[in-house]
Amino acid sequence: MIVMKFGGTSVKDVAAVRRLIGIVGGEQRPKVVVVSALSKVTDALIQAGRLAEQGDAAAAAAAVRALHRRHAEMAVLVESPQRKAALVAALDELFHELETIVHALAVVEEVSPRSADTIAAFGELASSRIVAAAFEDAGLRSCWLDARQVLITDAQHGAAQPDRQATDQRLLSLVRPLALEGQIPVLGGFIGATAAGLTTTLGRGGSDYSAALFGAGLGADEIQIWTDVDGMLTGDPRLVAAPKVVPQLSFDEASELAYFGAKVLHPSTILPAVRLGIPVRILNSERPEAEGTLITREAGAHGDGPAAIACKRGVTRIDIASSRMLMAYGFLRRVFEVFERFRTPVDVVTTSEVSVSVTVDDRRALDAIVAELSGFADVGREDGMAIVCAVGQRLRDDPCLAARFLGALEGLPLAMVSLGGSRMNITVVLRNDDVEPAMERLHRRFFEDQPRAEPALAAHAR
Ligand code: ADP
Ligand code: ASP
Ligand code: MG
């Protein structure tokens, strides 16, 4: 069995869904299909929520009606009048419900995280309905399933964590039998529900994570992530001019790249696959014939350099210094306990004798964190920073790669440097504004230049 996940651009319009019918129809193995919302729809839903929060009921309602129209236009995918009427009725019901919710929230001018999830979920609920109907109309035996009956999570709205046991149970009882019997279950990604039935979401880009959770729970042979690029690329295509496809990656490499900004995969996607060793393939729905990227336990071959580079903008650096507690044991524990209490992960960590510097991506609790840290240390904070890193097994074996990495960045002010940990990753922190030149230079150094010998070391350095 395989799980095929199609991202927002792969279902963005009628032509995209027709391509998808071809791709899924050409797959002989039993399969489960997971779809994202049509592209940009989640953004629009979040914006409708914001309008409601501002009390602008008219604008929020207009936003919902525009989404309703866009989805209703997709019904041309379905020819059978009966099936088309059923789809249109289902969409009407969904968007009327959404309009009612948004109106009520606009009246009270408040959108709680729970309500925000309820609103955001409509994108995947609608897209999955459309795709299931289009499949059926094209002669593929398929059935729509409400992902909220399958993916059970905790109640951390906006970033819900799956209850693996409950989810696996639902997968085995509700989804697996259908797929084995030759049907194609179609579910929305990104969304789930608490055991009590409240709608939740897994965080932006979370459909990949849904697909991986479903793949793991079903014991799938492969998880396919269909998107709009040819696979994991050597650098973010929006930042580097001539990125190349990375044909193979290890789970470790892929998860570090995803974590540090390669948006093509949600950072949690790899986790469920790792435990069971399920290969993850990234494929292009606009070019299904392209080989894509295969992610497995074994490392890929990357010549003499890293596998890829990645970057994450908009992080904050926090410097925490303590002269009084200098080198005292327990200091680091106290520092990290604060982050733990506020459920805020830190990404890069560097230490000196007198201070610790960390970067934080999730700024929701940052003011409170800084206030608390200030109780026992001197705290400095700098927003507008970015992480740039190179990832690859070769960094372990070739100690000179780190020097080449830093050499390429000569002249750009670096705020932090980190090498070690997995030893598969060299990371620097610099200003947002320097990300573009940094990515360009690194990409040229590692993926565009012909490999060449490093300049000989000066005699005194030997
Ligand atoms: P989907 O809607 O299919 O989930 P996403 O927009 O989430 O697609 O992810 C695909 C996008 O990720 C690509 O269009 C590309 O712009 C971006 N991206 C960033 N870094 C990389 C990378 N290293 N390799 C491939 N794509 C990347
Ligand atoms: N539709 C959701 C988002 O835009 C989830 C996803 O596309 O993976 O974040
Ligand atoms: Mg995505």
Side-chain angles (χ1 to χ4, degrees):
M1 190 181 310
I2 65 168
V3 173
M4 306 174 86
K5 177 261 169 177
F6 294 88
T9 47
S10 304
V11 291
K12 69 177 177 209
D13 54 22
V14 170
V17 176
R18 290 218 167 101
R19 270 197 301 275
L20 194 151
I21 292 169
I23 293 167
V24 173
E27 173 59 62
Q28 300 309 313
R29 292 170 281 186
K31 55 206 151 286
V32 173
V33 169
V34 178
V35 294
S36 292
L38 314 195
S39 73
K40 308 256 163 45
V41 165
T42 308
D43 290 336
L45 288 165
I46 291 169
Q47 178 57 17
R50 279 201 199 107
L51 292 168
E53 194 163 32
Q54 291 157 12
D56 195 342
V64 173
R65 281 197 290 270
L67 285 171
H68 189 174
R69 278 195 300 278
R70 175 165 173 210
H71 286 82
E73 280 164 14
M74 302 288 285
V76 298
L77 279 159
V78 179
E79 270 171 29
S80 137
Q82 227 177 351
R83 230 177 258 128
K84 184 184 260 172
L87 173 62
V88 169
L91 292 173
D92 285 350
E93 195 184 318
L94 270 177
F95 285 99
H96 288 145
E97 188 189 337
L98 178 58
E99 211 175 316
T100 310
I101 293 171
V102 166
H103 180 77
L105 295 172
V107 171
V108 294
E109 297 187 22
E110 193 208 273
V111 178
S112 64
R114 188 202 280 192
S115 308
D117 269 359
T118 303
I119 297 174
F122 277 86
E124 270 70 10
L125 289 172
S127 66
S128 54
R129 287 261 188 198
I130 292 167
V131 168
F135 279 3
E136 237 185 305
D137 201 66
L140 303 174
R141 281 180 63 216
S142 70
C143 56
W144 177 77
L145 291 180
D146 187 337
R148 297 170 301 179
Q149 304 285 330
V150 177
L151 211 169
I152 308 304
T153 72
D154 67 9
Q156 253 193 83
H157 289 282
Q161 296 296 316
D163 175 340
R164 298 286 301 269
Q165 216 177 352
T167 303
D168 288 357
Q169 210 177 7
R170 304 284 179 103
L171 284 164
L172 297 181
S173 61
L174 300 175
V175 182
R176 193 162 188 270
L178 292 170
L180 288 182
E181 184 246 317
Q183 296 222 48
I184 309 171
V186 178
L187 299 91
F190 176 59
I191 62 174
T194 63
L198 292 174
T199 299
T200 54
T201 65
L202 301 178
R204 297 306 306 271
S207 294
D208 298 340
Y209 192 20
S210 301
L213 290 165
F214 294 166
L218 293 165
D221 299 303
E222 185 170 296
I223 297 160
Q224 299 181 344
I225 306 289
W226 290 84
T227 184
D228 63 346
V229 283
D230 278 353
M232 178 69 80
L233 303 171
T234 48
D236 187 329
R238 293 160 298 182
L239 289 172
V240 305
K244 302 182 170 77
V245 180
V246 185
Q248 283 200 13
L249 280 172
S250 67
F251 286 134
D252 293 343
E253 290 170 323
S255 72
E256 297 224 2
L257 284 167
Y259 191 76
F260 288 113
K263 185 190 170 214
V264 70
L265 269 191
H266 181 280
S268 303
T269 305
I270 297 293
L271 298 174
V274 170
R275 194 165 51 101
L276 299 171
I278 302 172
V280 176
R281 223 182 259 281
I282 306 176
L283 294 154
N284 188 347
S285 65
E286 287 162 28
R287 281 182 9 97
E289 67 284 2
E291 289 285 318
T293 297
L294 178 62
I295 306 167
T296 57
R297 231 174 233 152
E298 301 75 38
H302 308 300
D304 66 349
I309 56 175
C311 61
K312 185 148 109 177
R313 281 195 255 217
V315 304
T316 296
R317 188 188 76 194
I318 306 175
D319 297 322
I320 307 137
S322 167
S323 43
R324 193 158 46 86
M325 310 251 317
L326 171 68
M327 293 302 278
Y329 52 79
F331 179 63
L332 286 179
R333 179 179 49 75
R334 262 183 104 180
V335 166
F336 287 109
E337 259 172 12
V338 175
F339 288 95
E340 187 182 350
R341 210 160 335 115
F342 288 97
R343 305 179 89 146
T344 298
V346 300
D347 293 335
V348 186
V349 183
T350 59
T351 59
S352 78
E353 223 179 336
V354 289
S355 68
V356 191
S357 298
V358 302
T359 65
V360 170
D361 184 23
D362 178 352
R363 279 191 295 277
R364 281 177 297 183
L366 214 52
D367 291 337
I369 290 172
V370 168
E372 192 130 333
L373 290 170
S374 301
F376 60 91
D378 297 327
V379 184
R381 165 181 178 168
E382 196 169 3
D383 294 315
M385 305 300 286
I387 295 170
V388 169
C389 69
V391 172
Q393 305 275 7
R394 283 285 300 162
L395 280 151
R396 253 181 216 159
D397 311 327
D398 181 354
C400 292
L401 279 181
R404 286 179 67 196
F405 179 95
L406 292 174
L409 300 178
E410 201 184 322
L412 297 177
L414 303 182
M416 290 165 71
V417 177
S418 158
L419 168 72
S422 65
R423 291 193 23 241
M424 226 175 45
N425 182 330
I426 172 158
T427 305
V428 294
V429 175
L430 35 65
R431 292 184 313 224
N432 272 338
D433 290 347
D434 292 331
V435 166
E436 272 181 48
M439 289 292 282
E440 246 170 62
R441 288 200 219 165
L442 287 169
H443 200 269
R444 232 178 301 127
R445 163 76 47 111
F446 288 120
F447 304 107
E448 295 167 38
D449 278 353
Q450 285 303 315
R452 62 178 135 76
E454 292 301 319
L457 292 174
H460 67 267
R462 270 197 208 112

